[in-house]
Amino acid sequence: MRLSVITHDRFLLSTFIIVAAFTALRVVHIFTNGFDLFFDEAQYWIWAQIPDWGYYSKPPMVAWLITATTSFCGDTEGCIRLASPVLHMATSLSVFFIARKLFNERTALLSALTYITLPAVGLSSMLISTDPALLFFWSIALLGLVYALDSNQWKWWLLAGIAGGFGMLSKYNMLLFVLSTLGFLATSPTYRHHLKNYKLWTAMILALMMFIPNIIWNADHGFVSFLHTKDNAQGNGFEFSPKHFLEFFGAQFGVFGPLLFGTLLYLTYTKRSHPLLAWSIWPMLGLILVISFVTRAHANWAAPIYVPATIMVVHYLVEHGKIVLVKASLMLHVFLWLVVLVLPYSNLSFTSDKTSLSHWQIQDPFIRLRGWSELASAVKTQLTQHPDVAIITNSRKIFTELAYYLRHHDAPLVKWNPDGSIRDHFDLTTSINNSDHSGPFIFVGRDLLDEHLNLYFKQVTLVSSPIIIQQRPKDRQYYVYYLEGLSL
């Protein structure tokens, strides 16, 4: 987009300036808040060291993004997370263009500002995950589709197809975008003829071709990513539980905002939804609501629906003289985000104990982003006292955090899974069963001596007192053992 176009478009310029300001603050925040990497983030960083077409639990886009950002600014936590706020900025601008095409400039500006201030977007901008890329490509695919349906020009169909392909390489639930599109076309008298449009099917074939390398990677690895996705949806097994449904449903008031989600439900109940946007919302949200009745569903599983939902809700409120609710929602979300922004720099005393609340001591909302570098420092001390050892652990979380925070140390890491079961990426790639290391080892674990270690090692020695880290629930204890004489 040329700068001259932006400067001559008052609404677009205002949107760009405000969204860019939010993004700049978020970029500064991720570089200065002092938060350790979450273990999923550390895992994605490990993947990024060897770019590939797929990984154990996810498609490759999140690793590719980390490879790109760390290639020019290093391996700090801020650099690893840098793509998140930038992608959310780009998604906000995409929301602007979708809303302007479907409705008007006022709705476009307010939709873009509403999106960038959503509670879920504010939180997501602090971390690197699969969601920022998915939301960006979902929004670009929707943008291409909106323009393609109006003009039937090749460039818009191809844009939708390319975005769909990249979206599938970001997260597998991008497939629901395709199903929603077909559902909309099949039920729309105005646009049903596009089901016979070769440009639509060319776009879909293009998206599939872009996704084929990941399919090939999965075929070479026993379709491990697809199986993990199924297991993730199944959770701990299927069991009818209204509690899980209520937890997921209630969480949507938090991630989308109470005023916005309440309005979305009202629009659905009164059947005042925009058909295309509704088809981009309810197939996914409805499916997850059904799943939540039988297993635990994470709040972010519904994240892509808030691109179209933001536009639909804001348009309704603006057109029906309820713009005060849009402004109230914006102010509420900005206030909450500013609280989150300043907490890391405050002098408040935090605790990890949910029951320990007082005037000066509150539960730390970022507790899961603390303590890992401290654990790695304690383990590093043991490595100094025991040179020429490998580190071994039976925990994916510990493995990923030590891999990142001991990245400048020469000690190799090995995953302890003597039964050969594959539960995560590291069971697949660094298993003790396929390792060249026979010991000695430094074992790091959450539990006091697991008796089965004595079945595999001749000598098992506790080499330090428990390492106590402030993490939830309450304070967690980690134990370090010196192992010799491996026998598998």
Side-chain angles (χ1 to χ4, degrees):
M1 182 188 306
R2 292 182 300 175
L3 182 60
S4 60
V5 175
I6 297 179
T7 55
H8 286 85
D9 188 326
R10 178 169 59 90
F11 283 92
L12 178 56
L13 178 61
S14 299
T15 301
F16 181 82
I17 291 174
I18 298 173
V19 170
F22 268 91
T23 303
L25 285 174
R26 287 170 175 170
V27 169
V28 171
H29 183 245
I30 63 174
F31 277 92
T32 60
N33 58 33
F35 294 154
D36 292 341
L37 290 185
F38 188 55
F39 51 81
D40 280 341
E41 295 179 290
Q43 175 177 260
Y44 301 149
W45 173 83
I46 294 171
W47 292 354
Q49 307 313 298
I50 307 177
D52 207 340
W53 282 103
Y55 300 93
Y56 172 80
S57 58
K58 297 291 188 297
M61 183 60 67
V62 65
W64 293 355
L65 291 170
I66 294 174
T67 299
T69 57
T70 57
S71 65
F72 72 86
C73 71
D75 287 323
T76 64
E77 292 88 346
C79 287
I80 291 171
R81 292 165 171 154
L82 182 58
S84 289
V86 174
L87 283 172
H88 281 303
M89 173 181 174
T91 303
S92 180
L93 297 176
S94 179
V95 165
F96 175 91
F97 288 109
I98 296 169
R100 185 164 70 172
K101 180 64 175 176
L102 290 177
F103 303 115
N104 53 62
E105 291 180 321
R106 192 182 189 193
T107 295
L109 185 150
L110 290 173
S111 295
L113 300 189
T114 298
Y115 174 84
I116 203 66
T117 60
L118 290 180
V121 171
L123 178 61
S124 178
S125 296
M126 297 170 58
L127 308 169
I128 186 67
S129 70
T130 56
D131 287 336
L134 173 66
L135 268 65
F136 171 68
F137 291 118
W138 189 290
S139 70
I140 295 297
L142 183 58
L143 175 67
L145 178 62
V146 167
Y147 275 82
L149 291 175
D150 178 64
S151 67
N152 198 33
Q153 293 182 357
W154 267 113
K155 62 180 181 181
W156 298 115
W157 287 114
L158 294 179
L159 177 64
I162 292 171
F166 280 128
M168 286 293 292
L169 291 173
S170 301
K171 204 168 184 178
Y172 295 129
N173 56 7
M174 185 72 193
L175 177 63
L176 290 174
F177 180 89
V178 178
L179 300 179
S180 294
T181 298
L182 294 177
F184 165 72
L185 295 177
T187 57
S188 172
T190 304
Y191 297 107
R192 188 178 298 141
H193 66 278
H194 282 297
L195 289 174
K196 299 180 180 180
N197 188 344
Y198 66 94
K199 294 179 181 179
L200 165 68
W201 296 105
T202 300
M204 290 192 176
I205 292 172
L206 176 60
L208 175 61
M209 291 177 63
M210 293 175 63
F211 184 56
I212 283 177
N214 180 258
I215 297 176
I216 295 174
W217 182 92
N218 267 283
D220 290 339
H221 294 81
F223 292 98
V224 65
S225 295
F226 300 152
L227 293 174
H228 171 80
T229 300
K230 175 183 73 68
D231 293 340
N232 197 32
Q234 181 177 341
N236 295 323
F238 293 123
E239 180 182 359
F240 182 76
S241 175
K243 177 184 176 183
H244 290 161
F245 167 81
L246 293 174
E247 287 177 348
F248 173 79
F249 185 77
Q252 302 315 303
F253 286 93
V255 298
F256 191 40
L259 297 177
L260 299 179
F261 191 65
T263 303
L264 177 62
L265 296 177
Y266 171 77
L267 292 179
T268 303
Y269 175 75
T270 57
K271 298 181 181 180
R272 298 186 181 185
S273 303
H274 184 280
L276 174 58
L277 298 179
W279 269 100
S280 297
I281 296 168
W282 281 106
M284 171 175 280
L285 184 57
L287 176 62
I288 300 174
L289 285 171
V290 171
I291 292 175
S292 69
F293 268 112
V294 294
T295 189
R296 186 177 298 277
H298 297 286
N300 70 312
W301 286 3
I305 75 166
Y306 296 119
V307 170
T310 295
I311 299 170
M312 189 167 73
V313 168
V314 169
H315 171 68
Y316 170 80
L317 294 176
V318 170
E319 291 302 304
H320 289 78
K322 303 179 187 298
I323 195 171
V324 64
L325 293 180
V326 179
K327 294 179 179 179
S329 181
L330 284 170
M331 289 188 291
L332 173 62
H333 297 169
V334 171
F335 171 76
L336 293 175
W337 179 68
L338 289 175
V339 170
V340 170
L341 195 69
V342 302
L343 272 179
Y345 316 104
S346 70
N347 293 321
L348 290 175
S349 175
F350 293 111
T351 178
S352 60
D353 188 349
K354 294 181 179 181
T355 64
S356 181
L357 300 176
S358 67
H359 183 67
W360 294 108
Q361 190 175 45
I362 64 174
Q363 183 184 340
D364 187 354
F366 309 111
I367 194 67
R368 301 176 78 183
L369 302 177
R370 302 186 192 275
W372 297 111
S373 56
E374 183 181 347
L375 174 64
S377 178
V379 173
K380 187 175 182 179
T381 299
Q382 296 301 323
L383 294 177
T384 303
Q385 299 174 8
H386 300 87
D388 301 322
V389 299
I391 303 172
I392 190 169
T393 181
N394 59 354
S395 166
R396 176 181 71 94
K397 299 177 183 179
I398 295 174
F399 189 106
T400 59
E401 298 290 356
L402 293 183
Y404 176 72
Y405 286 105
L406 294 177
R407 63 190 181 278
H408 300 305
H409 202 282
D410 294 332
L413 273 88
V414 180
K415 186 68 187 305
W416 177 247
N417 65 327
D419 60 0
S421 59
I422 306 298
R423 294 173 292 267
D424 57 54
H425 175 80
F426 308 104
D427 287 333
L428 186 68
T429 58
T430 60
S431 169
I432 185 65
N433 298 292
N434 303 319
S435 175
D436 295 331
H437 304 284
S438 57
F441 296 96
I442 288 290
F443 179 90
V444 184
R446 281 277 316 279
D447 303 314
L448 197 56
L449 176 61
D450 192 334
E451 293 297 333
H452 82 277
L453 286 178
N454 289 313
L455 301 176
Y456 296 96
F457 294 93
K458 294 180 179 178
Q459 180 179 346
V460 179
T461 307
L462 182 65
V463 297
S464 73
S465 57
I467 302 169
I468 301 175
I469 306 296
Q470 190 181 68
Q471 292 178 334
R472 187 180 295 131
K474 297 186 177 181
D475 293 339
R476 287 183 170 171
Q477 298 186 15
Y478 295 87
Y479 299 88
V480 180
Y481 293 91
Y482 182 77
L483 309 178
E484 287 186 295
L486 174 64
S487 176
L488 285 176

